[in-house]
Amino acid sequence: NSRTFRLPPAKVDFKFKGFQIQPFIAGLLGYVRSSNNPAVKTFESLLQTDVSGLVNGKINVVIPDPGDSVDKITADIDLDIAKGFFEIKDENLAIPKQNFSEAKIQAKLRKKVINVTPATKFEANDIKLGLSGDLSLSDRFDVTDIKLKMSLKLLGRFKENFDFTLPVGIGCNPSKMVEGEMDVEFSGVIGAMTCT
Protein backbone atom coordinates (compact mmCIF):
# COMPACT_ATOMS: atom_id res chain seq x y z
CA ASN A 1 0.00 0.00 0.00
CA SER A 2 1.29 3.43 -0.92
CA ARG A 3 1.16 6.02 1.82
CA THR A 4 0.96 9.73 1.17
CA PHE A 5 2.45 12.59 3.10
CA ARG A 6 -0.11 14.50 5.25
CA LEU A 7 0.10 17.49 7.56
CA PRO A 8 -2.64 19.38 9.40
CA PRO A 9 -3.87 22.53 7.61
CA ALA A 10 -1.85 25.61 8.38
CA LYS A 11 -0.22 28.73 7.08
CA VAL A 12 3.30 29.05 8.39
CA ASP A 13 5.61 32.01 7.93
CA PHE A 14 9.29 31.67 8.83
CA LYS A 15 11.23 34.92 9.02
CA PHE A 16 15.01 34.99 9.30
CA LYS A 17 17.12 37.90 10.42
CA GLY A 18 20.81 37.28 10.99
CA PHE A 19 20.42 33.48 11.33
CA GLN A 20 23.95 32.02 11.53
CA ILE A 21 24.39 29.09 9.12
CA GLN A 22 27.81 27.95 10.35
CA PRO A 23 26.64 25.18 12.76
CA PHE A 24 24.14 23.84 10.24
CA ILE A 25 26.63 23.72 7.36
CA ALA A 26 29.33 22.19 9.58
CA GLY A 27 26.95 19.37 10.52
CA LEU A 28 25.92 18.85 6.90
CA LEU A 29 29.52 18.66 5.67
CA GLY A 30 30.35 16.20 8.45
CA TYR A 31 27.45 14.00 7.38
CA VAL A 32 28.57 14.07 3.74
CA ARG A 33 32.17 13.24 4.72
CA SER A 34 30.91 10.13 6.51
CA SER A 35 29.28 8.84 3.31
CA ASN A 36 30.60 5.73 1.55
CA ASN A 37 29.81 7.27 -1.84
CA PRO A 38 33.00 7.13 -3.99
CA ALA A 39 32.03 10.46 -5.61
CA VAL A 40 32.55 12.13 -2.22
CA LYS A 41 36.29 11.39 -2.52
CA THR A 42 36.42 13.70 -5.54
CA PHE A 43 35.38 16.62 -3.35
CA GLU A 44 37.11 15.58 -0.13
CA SER A 45 39.22 18.75 -0.04
CA LEU A 46 36.11 20.91 -0.52
CA LEU A 47 34.41 19.22 2.41
CA GLN A 48 37.17 20.44 4.75
CA THR A 49 35.73 23.93 4.61
CA ASP A 50 34.64 26.62 7.04
CA VAL A 51 31.39 28.23 5.89
CA SER A 52 29.67 31.15 7.56
CA GLY A 53 26.98 33.71 6.85
CA LEU A 54 23.81 35.33 8.15
CA VAL A 55 20.51 34.32 6.59
CA ASN A 56 17.85 36.98 6.07
CA GLY A 57 14.49 36.54 4.39
CA LYS A 58 11.40 34.41 4.64
CA ILE A 59 9.78 31.08 3.88
CA ASN A 60 5.99 30.96 3.57
CA VAL A 61 4.17 27.61 3.54
CA VAL A 62 0.44 26.97 3.04
CA ILE A 63 -0.85 23.49 3.90
CA PRO A 64 -4.45 22.71 2.80
CA ASP A 65 -7.14 20.75 4.62
CA PRO A 66 -6.41 17.01 5.09
CA GLY A 67 -9.02 16.04 2.47
CA ASP A 68 -7.45 18.22 -0.19
CA SER A 69 -4.82 17.12 -2.66
CA VAL A 70 -1.17 17.64 -1.78
CA ASP A 71 -1.09 19.56 -5.07
CA LYS A 72 -2.50 22.46 -3.06
CA ILE A 73 0.52 22.72 -0.74
CA THR A 74 2.39 25.87 -1.68
CA ALA A 75 5.61 27.46 -0.49
CA ASP A 76 7.65 30.54 -1.29
CA ILE A 77 11.33 30.87 -0.37
CA ASP A 78 13.26 34.12 -0.57
CA LEU A 79 16.55 34.09 1.33
CA ASP A 80 19.73 36.15 1.20
CA ILE A 81 23.00 35.32 2.94
CA ALA A 82 24.87 38.36 4.26
CA LYS A 83 28.52 38.43 5.31
CA GLY A 84 28.94 35.00 3.78
CA PHE A 85 32.28 33.35 3.21
CA PHE A 86 33.92 29.97 2.87
CA GLU A 87 37.50 28.94 3.45
CA ILE A 88 38.96 25.64 2.25
CA LYS A 89 41.32 24.25 4.86
CA ASP A 90 43.39 22.08 2.51
CA GLU A 91 46.71 23.98 2.45
CA ASN A 92 47.87 22.09 -0.64
CA LEU A 93 45.25 23.88 -2.71
CA ALA A 94 46.27 27.34 -1.49
CA ILE A 95 42.83 28.77 -2.26
CA PRO A 96 42.25 32.13 -0.58
CA LYS A 97 39.22 32.79 1.59
CA GLN A 98 36.17 33.39 -0.59
CA ASN A 99 33.80 36.20 0.39
CA PHE A 100 30.34 36.18 -1.16
CA SER A 101 29.34 39.35 -2.96
CA GLU A 102 25.94 37.77 -3.54
CA ALA A 103 24.25 34.67 -2.15
CA LYS A 104 20.56 34.22 -2.77
CA ILE A 105 18.01 31.38 -2.82
CA GLN A 106 14.64 32.02 -4.43
CA ALA A 107 12.14 29.24 -5.12
CA LYS A 108 8.46 28.40 -5.03
CA LEU A 109 6.42 25.22 -4.68
CA ARG A 110 3.27 24.84 -6.77
CA LYS A 111 1.44 21.60 -7.68
CA LYS A 112 4.26 19.38 -6.38
CA VAL A 113 6.91 21.19 -8.43
CA ILE A 114 9.69 23.22 -6.83
CA ASN A 115 10.69 25.97 -9.22
CA VAL A 116 14.14 27.44 -8.53
CA THR A 117 14.17 30.91 -10.08
CA PRO A 118 17.13 32.39 -12.01
CA ALA A 119 17.61 34.81 -9.09
CA THR A 120 19.26 31.91 -7.20
CA LYS A 121 22.99 32.49 -7.30
CA PHE A 122 26.18 32.33 -5.28
CA GLU A 123 28.99 34.65 -6.30
CA ALA A 124 32.34 34.82 -4.49
CA ASN A 125 35.82 36.02 -5.44
CA ASP A 126 36.79 33.05 -7.61
CA ILE A 127 33.60 31.05 -8.08
CA LYS A 128 30.22 32.04 -9.50
CA LEU A 129 27.28 29.63 -9.49
CA GLY A 130 23.75 30.10 -10.83
CA LEU A 131 20.86 27.63 -10.64
CA SER A 132 17.36 27.54 -12.11
CA GLY A 133 14.77 24.95 -13.04
CA ASP A 134 12.29 22.47 -11.60
CA LEU A 135 12.22 19.53 -9.19
CA SER A 136 9.06 17.43 -9.39
CA LEU A 137 7.81 15.74 -6.22
CA SER A 138 5.68 12.70 -5.41
CA ASP A 139 2.80 12.70 -2.92
CA ARG A 140 5.40 11.66 -0.33
CA PHE A 141 7.56 14.60 -1.36
CA ASP A 142 10.32 12.46 -2.83
CA VAL A 143 12.06 14.05 -5.81
CA THR A 144 10.81 12.18 -8.90
CA ASP A 145 12.25 14.30 -11.71
CA ILE A 146 14.94 16.96 -12.02
CA LYS A 147 15.38 19.61 -14.69
CA LEU A 148 17.97 22.07 -13.44
CA LYS A 149 20.17 24.49 -15.35
CA MET A 150 23.52 25.38 -13.84
CA SER A 151 26.01 28.04 -14.84
CA LEU A 152 29.44 27.89 -13.25
CA LYS A 153 32.49 30.09 -13.57
CA LEU A 154 35.82 29.33 -11.90
CA LEU A 155 38.68 31.79 -11.56
CA GLY A 156 42.16 31.80 -10.04
CA ARG A 157 43.12 28.82 -7.90
CA PHE A 158 39.64 27.33 -8.24
CA LYS A 159 40.11 27.10 -11.99
CA GLU A 160 43.61 25.63 -11.58
CA ASN A 161 42.46 22.94 -9.14
CA PHE A 162 38.93 22.02 -10.23
CA ASP A 163 38.35 22.77 -13.91
CA PHE A 164 38.65 19.02 -14.67
CA THR A 165 37.66 17.25 -11.46
CA LEU A 166 34.56 19.33 -10.73
CA PRO A 167 32.68 18.44 -13.95
CA VAL A 168 33.61 14.76 -13.53
CA GLY A 169 32.53 14.78 -9.88
CA ILE A 170 29.04 16.06 -10.73
CA GLY A 171 28.58 13.63 -13.62
CA CYS A 172 29.44 15.90 -16.54
CA ASN A 173 31.89 15.41 -19.39
CA PRO A 174 35.05 17.46 -18.68
CA SER A 175 34.69 18.99 -22.14
CA LYS A 176 31.67 20.92 -20.80
CA MET A 177 34.13 23.13 -18.91
CA VAL A 178 35.75 25.65 -21.27
CA GLU A 179 38.21 28.17 -19.88
CA GLY A 180 36.75 27.76 -16.41
CA GLU A 181 33.13 28.24 -17.52
CA MET A 182 30.35 25.69 -17.81
CA ASP A 183 26.63 25.96 -18.66
CA VAL A 184 24.81 22.64 -18.35
CA GLU A 185 21.41 21.12 -17.65
CA PHE A 186 20.79 18.21 -15.29
CA SER A 187 17.82 15.95 -15.92
CA GLY A 188 16.52 12.66 -14.56
CA VAL A 189 16.34 11.42 -10.98
CA ILE A 190 18.76 11.58 -8.05
CA GLY A 191 21.45 8.97 -8.57
CA ALA A 192 20.74 8.70 -12.32
CA MET A 193 20.98 12.22 -13.71
CA THR A 194 22.29 13.17 -17.10
CA CYS A 195 24.36 16.29 -17.75
CA THR A 196 23.93 17.96 -21.15
Side-chain angles (χ1 to χ4, degrees):
N1 293 337
S2 63
R3 300 179 63 185
T4 55
F5 184 76
R6 294 293 186 207
L7 287 172
K11 180 178 180 181
V12 184
D13 296 324
F14 300 95
K15 293 184 179 179
F16 300 89
K17 186 174 182 181
F19 176 78
Q20 176 58 257
I21 63 171
Q22 189 172 26
F24 174 77
I25 298 295
L28 179 62
L29 291 176
Y31 174 78
V32 173
R33 283 196 300 269
S34 68
S35 168
N36 291 324
N37 187 335
V40 171
K41 297 296 181 184
T42 306
F43 301 107
E44 198 163 15
S45 57
L46 291 177
L47 298 176
Q48 303 290 338
T49 302
D50 281 343
V51 181
S52 185
L54 304 174
V55 175
N56 300 297
K58 59 186 178 180
I59 300 175
N60 302 319
V61 181
V62 176
I63 301 167
D65 292 328
D68 287 340
S69 167
V70 294
D71 286 6
K72 293 186 177 180
I73 297 177
T74 66
D76 292 277
I77 301 169
D78 192 356
L79 301 174
D80 289 283
I81 302 173
K83 299 180 180 178
F85 73 83
F86 69 97
E87 188 171 12
I88 297 175
K89 293 302 184 182
D90 188 334
E91 295 180 358
N92 295 320
L93 298 177
I95 293 175
K97 179 180 177 181
Q98 299 290 304
N99 294 295
F100 285 105
S101 57
E102 186 171 8
K104 185 174 186 65
I105 300 170
Q106 193 176 81
K108 61 183 179 181
L109 169 64
R110 300 289 188 277
K111 295 183 178 179
K112 295 190 296 185
V113 176
I114 298 173
N115 173 251
V116 181
T117 77
T120 299
K121 60 181 66 175
F122 301 88
E123 296 189 354
N125 309 60
D126 296 327
I127 183 168
K128 303 182 188 308
L129 172 69
L131 291 171
S132 65
D134 296 327
L135 293 87
S136 301
L137 308 175
S138 71
D139 284 357
R140 292 170 59 87
F141 279 66
D142 301 314
V143 177
T144 58
D145 188 47
I146 295 170
K147 288 185 176 64
L148 275 182
K149 293 180 179 179
M150 182 188 79
S151 63
L152 179 67
K153 183 175 183 179
L154 304 178
L155 301 167
R157 297 289 294 177
F158 261 102
K159 181 181 174 184
E160 292 173 26
N161 286 286
F162 297 111
D163 66 339
F164 180 84
T165 57
L166 191 55
V168 171
I170 58 177
C172 298
N173 190 307
S175 65
K176 296 289 184 183
M177 182 76 79
V178 179
E179 293 298 315
E181 296 190 34
M182 182 168 74
D183 289 284
V184 295
E185 182 170 343
F186 297 99
S187 58
V189 295
I190 293 174
M193 287 192 296
T194 58
C195 172
T196 55

